[in-house]
Amino acid sequence: MTRTLSIGKRLDIALSKLIASRHNPRKVKPEREAHRRLVASIRAHDLLQPLVVQPAEEGRYLVIAGNRRLAALREVFKGKDPKVPCTLKALEGDAARAVALAENFAREPMHPLDEAEAFAKLAKDDGKGAEEIAAQFGVSPGYVRQRMKLAALAAVVKAAYR
């Protein structure tokens, strides 16, 4: 059976026209550190994944997936009103909640060793120091240095750790 993917229409919507959904499945507020990392990522790399929205009242749009990104965008662009990449989906009720849950449920953090090797590659290939990498990803320079020490482990130790 062939399945057609439902991508939705891509729109650029003014930040001021976006409303956070009250039905977000994530009820526990993210840790400040996680929010800080997301803000740093958006500052360094822009928004990597569009928000998923549905039409709301008065020309506004309800964010059904991406409330954390919305909060980070508001911090990054405080006092400004940039256009934000969004995917428009015509969903209601349970379908909208299912999309929000799927987006959160499917995420998995990187393995510490994969993160370590990626940081070490940035340092080696791009000549970036721990401070610059830390600023780019919203972590402390000490965190980056610790991760890069993992990247220096012997291959047999890395394999066992993985």
Side-chain angles (χ1 to χ4, degrees):
M1 175 171 136
T2 312
R3 187 167 165 226
T4 304
L5 294 176
S6 171
I7 302 297
K9 184 178 179 181
R10 295 294 301 265
L11 298 172
D12 289 332
I13 301 170
L15 184 57
S16 63
K17 300 285 185 187
L18 298 171
I19 308 165
S21 173
R22 295 175 311 191
H23 301 293
N24 190 311
R26 191 184 294 271
K27 301 300 181 207
V28 175
K29 189 175 180 178
E31 294 181 20
R32 273 178 59 181
E33 187 69 23
H35 176 74
R36 194 168 64 87
R37 284 193 307 268
L38 185 54
V39 167
S41 174
I42 291 171
R43 281 189 176 128
H45 308 288
D46 296 322
L47 186 65
L48 299 176
Q49 182 179 356
L51 307 176
V52 179
V53 301
Q54 65 186 29
E57 73 284 337
E58 300 172 15
R60 299 180 84 187
Y61 294 86
L62 184 67
V63 176
I64 57 175
N67 282 348
R68 283 186 58 231
R69 282 171 277 153
L70 178 60
L73 285 164
R74 286 182 175 152
E75 183 172 329
V76 169
F77 295 105
K78 199 175 288 183
K80 297 177 184 153
D81 196 22
K83 299 276 188 173
V84 176
C86 297
T87 299
L88 179 65
K89 291 219 179 230
L91 303 170
E92 294 187 24
D94 291 342
R97 285 188 282 281
V99 166
L101 176 59
E103 185 183 66
N104 283 287
F105 190 75
R107 294 180 190 266
E108 184 171 351
M110 287 180 74
H111 187 281
L113 194 49
D114 294 337
E115 191 178 280
E117 290 175 340
F119 284 165
K121 187 164 178 52
L122 278 174
K124 181 182 177 212
D125 294 351
D126 296 348
K128 293 185 177 181
E131 291 76 15
E132 188 176 358
I133 294 169
Q136 194 173 358
F137 293 95
V139 295
S140 71
Y143 179 92
V144 172
R145 284 190 283 277
Q146 287 175 338
R147 283 293 196 250
M148 288 196 298
K149 285 180 184 178
L150 285 176
L153 292 172
V156 67
V157 177
K158 287 181 184 180
Y161 185 38
R162 281 198 166 101

